[in-house]
Amino acid sequence: WVSLTTTQGSSDGVSVIEGVIEDVTASRGSEEALKESELRYRSLIEALPQLVWTATADGSWDYVSRQWCDYTGLDELRHLREGWIELLCPEEAERVLTRWRDALASGKVYDAEHHLRGRDGNYRWFKSCGVPIRDGHGEVVRWLGTCTDMEEQKQAEAALETTSRLKDE
């Protein structure tokens, strides 16, 4: 690819055409590679069974996956910034938010188990994990997170505890 920029002017009645020819092949190739990478990233996220989200360095959510919207029944805009908080079980919200704020302050991985309200109004157990993405200087520039449904696992653990307790009694 070649980009040509020209200027026309007049100096003492003589037309002057100046031009710059710039090879933008590398730049176009980089743009195409970036678009391809973005497409792969989005396709991967949409193929995962987890609910996926991203946030800016300050913790404001700026993306939620289709699965997130399907589970909650709300559109993407309702979850951006801190709209996700309204979906937490009220009894667990402060604990979960404290963990999230601690991760933001420390730059360490966010990890929490909690209930999340679905489109049907019922709460299910989820394991949430947020990983800080750092720049070349080690500064957090964004967060990538997932919420994994673990309702069946929690139910199996509860059944096992009940069985163990009954056996002991």
Side-chain angles (χ1 to χ4, degrees):
W1 291 90
V2 175
S3 173
L4 176 61
T5 305
T6 62
T7 57
Q8 290 186 350
S10 177
S11 172
D12 297 329
V14 178
S15 290
V16 177
I17 298 177
E18 295 178 332
V20 175
I21 297 178
E22 179 182 358
D23 183 356
V24 294
T25 303
S27 175
R28 294 279 176 145
S30 294
E31 288 174 17
E32 292 301 315
L34 184 60
K35 285 179 184 176
E36 186 177 317
S37 176
E38 172 78 10
L39 179 60
R40 274 195 313 265
Y41 165 77
R42 293 262 180 209
S43 298
L44 174 63
I45 284 177
E46 296 302 328
L48 294 173
Q50 285 85 4
L51 313 181
V52 179
W53 51 269
T54 64
T56 59
D58 69 359
S60 298
W61 284 26
D62 59 357
Y63 169 79
V64 292
S65 66
R66 177 187 45 78
Q67 292 87 328
W68 179 276
C69 296
D70 290 348
Y71 173 74
T72 63
L74 302 175
D75 65 40
E76 182 176 3
L77 292 177
R78 289 281 308 272
H79 301 292
L80 301 185
R81 310 228 24 100
E82 290 190 346
W84 60 275
I85 295 168
E86 71 186 59
L87 299 170
L88 296 172
C89 178
E91 294 81 19
E92 299 168 349
E94 192 56 41
R95 174 183 57 81
V96 173
L97 285 174
T98 297
R99 281 206 157 153
W100 176 233
R101 290 179 184 132
D102 288 348
L104 290 173
S106 68
K108 294 182 180 174
V109 171
Y110 164 70
D111 190 14
E113 291 182 5
H114 56 83
H115 287 89
L116 193 64
R117 188 179 68 234
R119 73 172 46 239
D120 60 4
N122 294 319
Y123 288 90
R124 292 179 65 87
W125 276 105
F126 278 85
K127 177 174 181 57
S128 293
C129 183
V131 178
I133 307 298
R134 299 178 187 280
D135 64 13
H137 304 289
E139 297 295 318
V140 175
V141 293
R142 65 183 313 94
W143 293 82
L144 173 62
T146 61
C147 298
T148 303
D149 187 333
M150 53 187 290
E151 182 68 23
E152 278 98 29
Q153 178 183 343
K154 287 291 190 176
Q155 288 179 0
E157 289 172 4
L160 189 59
E161 286 176 18
T162 300
T163 300
S164 179
R165 190 184 75 248
L166 290 174
K167 180 186 70 126
D168 291 344
E169 289 176 2

